[in-house]
Amino acid sequence: MTEFEIIAHYFTRPSDALLGVGDDCALFSSKKTIAVSTDMLVEKTHFFPGDDPFLLGRKSLSVNLSDMAAMGARPRYALLAISLPVADEAWLQAFSKGFMAQAERYGVALIGGDTTRGPLAVCVHIIGELDAELALRRDGAKPGDEIWVSGHLGDAALALAHLNDEIRLTDEEAEFCLGALHDPVPRVELGLALSGISRCAIDISDGFCADLSHILEKSIVAAVVEYAALPCSETMEKYRSTRASAILSGGDDYELCFTASPEKSNDVRSIGERLGIRLSKVGKIREGSGLVVLDEAGREMKIGNKGYAHFS
Ligand code: ADP
Ligand code: MG
């Protein structure tokens, strides 16, 4: 297959853009503020050689959708730059299926990209819309705000620990945790629902403490978090005391951490009920700087490795 056959066959779909795949640029217009973001997945850094291409296709879009969610933006368009060592049709078929089904699920049109030969890497660029004044910005936290987390934390980190032979999960537990690692659910509907209720969110991709710390730095505030309040799956619960780092610093959760004033507490709860997403209140924003995590006895926990950072 040539580059152009690959594009025509696997990456060209009808779209609502003025001009989609096939010209030098795609064209679209919008009356709203545009939100843009890009996220790259590289073999051996973000995924393993031989990982399921269907799930990789889906995850490459999901991690970008997660950025849209964290901003409270409605995703509209995506571009896909892909570097492939060989044109393996079965691999491309599965990758495209995973990517395109997720695009359809979230109302995203693939309107362009680039296809080259090289080491396996996938870079997605995502474009969404929002009202600028309602954006969920990292600098939007205020002293007195409560800190919330969606879903549960640490399952993807447990999967990695299992793959690295650091822990031994049962088959059932491994299946569940590997699902969290390979197939994260972007919280797009939650991000949209928080519009007007929260001013500040981040998606947890590098680890809870690291990502909350980004909020604290940008908002110039401090936070106190209760470890016992951090939400866990049944599997992670078994490791809560021995593997706290999975919850505090494990990456790849793609849950949202957001803040809201205490008066909005009931609104937040009803959003969780309406969307069927567990939303947990885990701490408070204070004046000052820095993050303190308290254990069940109210003692400050030592947070070792704060989160994942490339080049560190
Ligand atoms: P150019 O030579 O201008 O870079 P290309 O030949 O790379 O254009 O791409 C042709 C068309 O196909 C362009 O519209 C480009 O956006 C689109 N395209 C290329 N690769 C992909 C891909 N992986 N997914 C979606 N669209 C793609
Ligand atoms: Mg090109």
Side-chain angles (χ1 to χ4, degrees):
M1 277 195 129
T2 69
E3 172 193 338
F4 300 105
E5 285 164 342
I6 292 172
I7 297 166
H9 204 77
Y10 298 113
F11 300 123
T12 305
R13 298 286 184 280
S15 83
D16 65 344
L18 298 173
L19 196 54
V21 170
D23 213 312
D24 296 308
C25 290
L27 302 176
F28 65 88
S29 51
S30 172
K31 292 193 180 74
K32 294 220 169 194
T33 297
I34 299 295
V36 294
S37 176
T38 190
D39 247 328
M40 180 153 70
L41 297 180
V42 176
E43 189 180 53
K44 293 188 195 135
T45 302
H46 299 96
F47 59 92
F48 298 102
D51 272 0
D52 180 344
F54 176 85
L55 291 178
L56 183 64
R58 182 146 82 190
K59 183 171 177 177
S60 68
L61 188 56
S62 294
V63 299
N64 281 275
L65 289 166
S66 179
D67 285 320
M68 288 279 124
M71 211 67 199
R74 181 177 298 285
R76 294 294 311 275
Y77 302 112
L79 294 104
L80 166 66
I82 188 164
S83 162
L84 300 163
V86 287
D88 175 341
E89 291 188 36
W91 192 95
L92 278 162
Q93 179 68 44
F95 178 90
S96 159
K97 216 173 155 192
F99 187 98
M100 291 299 181
Q102 191 73 332
E104 196 166 315
R105 155 80 176 76
Y106 287 96
V108 172
L110 181 63
I111 56 170
D114 202 19
T115 305
T116 77
R117 187 192 287 271
L120 186 58
V122 182
C123 182
V124 174
H125 187 81
I126 195 152
I127 299 164
E129 296 175 327
L130 46 55
D131 292 320
E133 64 278 12
L134 297 177
L136 308 176
R137 299 166 52 126
R138 293 182 185 184
D139 62 5
K142 295 265 181 309
D145 277 2
E146 292 169 327
I147 304 167
W148 296 81
V149 170
S150 68
H152 28 78
L153 302 176
D155 301 322
L158 280 192
L160 277 177
H162 175 76
L163 292 173
N164 292 333
D165 284 326
E166 292 163 26
I167 58 169
R168 189 109 303 275
L169 298 172
T170 67
D171 289 351
E172 206 176 310
E173 289 169 348
E175 193 185 321
F176 168 77
C177 290
L178 287 165
L181 177 65
H182 293 310
D183 195 15
V185 179
R187 300 299 192 184
V188 175
E189 289 90 355
L190 175 60
L192 290 170
L194 289 173
S195 166
I197 289 170
S198 168
R199 276 285 130 106
C200 172
I202 192 166
D203 63 325
I204 304 174
S205 56
D206 296 332
F208 169 75
C209 289
D211 289 316
L212 176 56
S213 294
H214 293 315
I215 286 182
L216 304 183
E217 280 153 27
K218 291 273 181 198
S219 299
I220 318 176
V221 291
V224 179
V225 165
E226 282 174 46
Y227 180 65
L230 290 170
C232 268
S233 66
E234 262 175 52
T235 303
M236 184 63 232
E237 203 62 61
K238 293 184 199 162
Y239 291 89
R240 193 185 262 282
S241 52
T242 53
R243 284 227 157 228
S245 64
I247 299 176
L248 294 171
S249 332
D252 264 347
D253 290 311
Y254 297 102
E255 293 297 346
L256 292 190
C257 174
F258 59 95
T259 79
S261 76
E263 301 89 80
K264 301 285 186 191
S265 198
N266 285 335
D267 294 325
V268 173
R269 280 188 210 295
S270 52
I271 288 171
E273 277 156 32
R274 175 164 64 80
L275 298 177
I277 300 174
R278 177 173 170 187
L279 298 179
S280 309
K281 202 185 278 187
V282 302
K284 272 215 154 211
I285 299 289
R286 300 266 168 84
E287 279 179 32
S289 66
L291 168 61
V292 170
V293 181
L294 300 176
D295 68 11
E296 258 136 274
R299 286 179 306 236
E300 184 174 345
M301 289 174 76
K302 207 167 152 355
I303 307 158
N305 172 18
K306 250 194 183 179
Y308 189 76
H310 298 269
F311 308 114
S312 62

